[in-house]
Amino acid sequence: MGILPDEKPACTLVALSLLASYCYTAYTMFSIIWFPAIISISAGYFFMSVAPLSTQFMSLFGIGYAGLSLFLSGLLWSHSLVQLPAGLILDKIGVYRGFLIAIAIAVVANCLPFVAPDNPMLATGLRFMAGLSSGTLFLAGVKVTGMLAPPEKVAQAQGIQGAAFCLGTMLPFVTLPYLGDQAWRFSYLIPAALAVTVTVLSLFLPAHIRKNASTSSGSLGNLLQALRTVSTSVPIWALGMFHGLSYGTLNNLGQWLPSILADMDETSTAMTWSLATGFVLLAGTLGRAYGSTLLRWFSRSWITNTAVLAIGILYIVLGLTGHPGIGLAVGILLAILGGSNYGSIFSLTGSVMSPVYLATAAGFMNMIANIANVMLTLVLGTVREYTGSFSMALCATGIFALVVWLAGKRIITGLQKK
């Protein structure tokens, strides 16, 4: 039975009230954690600053899709591998000092490419450096959020901070493609300018943040024990793979969706689909920001399992469809699923280990996810290079996701009972 005419204004009022509530919540959180949110937006921009200009970089370097996948993966590898050591460094030397080091690395990584702009090896090496910066900045944002937000709002604030990173990954798609044939230069210059701007804004931080000293008092033996405990945990590995297929899907959409849609619509180029991809990533941002509201009706394990199952199915649909409109719609659904799974996975991670190992567990889980994400990026680009289509790689990714889901669903369900 449909909605009666006199019920429509009431439904509209409820929808507008919910939207206003969400906007007010986001504004309230941003006013508290404005600096970590800006850090995360900047780190997200660094993370995706070359993807919208893939065709320009392929022409500049004289490479194909396989070479492009290696170039794109330079940042992804370092962003992945720095997760755990960056957390330890921030604890050891203080979050503000770690932030300044990450900013210095970002400036160098985005200025040195101009020494030899058409050298793919130099560019890939400097993207690796940029990943060290983006990974450290993201964790700095997480740490500062915990220091600024009231205890009762930390979980909510972390969701907004995580969404800010996603928002940063969207912004290159709605800016860079409209800067002309030399836009690749701005893919370096804008991140460098953001790094300088964030440094100036950091001067307005509360003194206790800027003077934050070491919070690490553990011995090397305790550190090794923590790593041993976390690295041998089957649930942590399962959560890492599930996170890799959730967060990794957002990243893959950013890296490859313009090219996938351009292949479906042979009259267009990847840059033609940049704006649409930006809105897809915006959907993922909103999913990450408000995904925690699903916990009012569903369990964390149900959300995590269902999201990965649906992601696997949708990858196969994306691989089989040849219509760009359907492909874009599937991309939006994938982004929403990948984003909304963020809070549930990190929350479940907290139920695996004792509080003593929580930070190490989250860092290790996130590292597994990022490595899975790098491999997906490499596979998609390499298969496209040698088969002439993304279809086979997308279907294989979907099948892989379903296998991971089958292997891990009982493990994930069991965590809810702890």
Side-chain angles (χ1 to χ4, degrees), residues 249-250 253 257 261 275-287 311 314 318 324-340:
T249 289
L250 286 174
L253 291 172
L257 187 61
L261 296 176
L275 183 60
T277 301
F279 283 106
V280 169
L281 295 179
L282 177 60
T285 299
L286 296 175
I311 284 170
L314 288 173
L318 185 60
I326 297 175
L328 181 60
V330 171
I332 292 171
L333 290 175
L334 281 168
I336 292 171
L337 288 166
S340 62

Side-chain angles (χ1 to χ4, degrees), residues 200-225:
V200 173
L201 291 174
S202 73
L203 299 177
F204 297 94
L205 278 171
H208 76 278
I209 302 291
R210 287 185 284 108
K211 296 179 180 179
N212 172 254
S214 170
T215 58
S216 175
S217 58
S219 66
L220 178 60
N222 291 337
L223 171 61
L224 294 176
Q225 177 60 37

Side-chain angles (χ1 to χ4, degrees), residues 40 44 161-171 250 281-282 284-285 288:
S40 297
Q161 182 264 337
F165 183 84
C166 282
L167 178 63
T169 65
M170 181 203 79
L171 293 178
L250 286 174
L281 295 179
L282 177 60
T285 299
R288 181 173 281 197

Side-chain angles (χ1 to χ4, degrees), residues 20-178:
S21 174
Y22 287 155
C23 291
Y24 177 75
T25 299
Y27 169 77
T28 301
M29 286 295 97
F30 189 84
S31 66
I32 296 172
I33 61 162
W34 62 272
F35 186 71
I38 292 173
I39 291 179
S40 297
I41 290 171
S42 300
Y45 202 105
F46 300 168
F47 195 81
M48 207 64 75
S49 60
V50 303
L53 304 176
S54 57
T55 53
Q56 285 195 15
F57 280 104
M58 290 168 72
S59 176
L60 180 67
F61 298 147
I63 57 176
Y65 280 95
L68 178 66
S69 67
L70 290 174
F71 174 53
L72 292 175
S73 70
L75 178 143
L76 303 180
W77 277 116
S78 54
H79 185 93
S80 306
L81 299 175
V82 81
Q83 295 294 311
L84 191 58
L88 298 172
I89 290 170
L90 290 172
D91 285 342
K92 190 67 179 177
I93 68 174
V95 66
Y96 190 65
R97 290 179 182 175
F99 157 76
L100 292 176
I101 291 172
I103 287 294
I105 293 172
V107 172
V108 171
N110 285 288
C111 289
L112 280 186
F114 292 105
V115 173
D118 58 350
N119 187 324
M121 296 302 294
L122 174 64
T124 301
L126 292 173
R127 286 298 288 171
F128 188 92
M129 286 183 62
L132 297 177
S133 174
S134 67
T136 304
L137 286 175
F138 176 76
L139 290 178
V142 171
K143 191 172 178 67
V144 176
T145 296
M147 298 169 71
L148 289 175
E152 69 276 8
K153 294 185 177 181
V154 167
Q156 198 174 40
Q158 295 289 11
I160 299 298
Q161 182 264 337
F165 183 84
C166 282
L167 178 63
T169 65
M170 181 203 79
L171 293 178
F173 291 92
V174 296
T175 54
L176 293 174
Y178 307 100

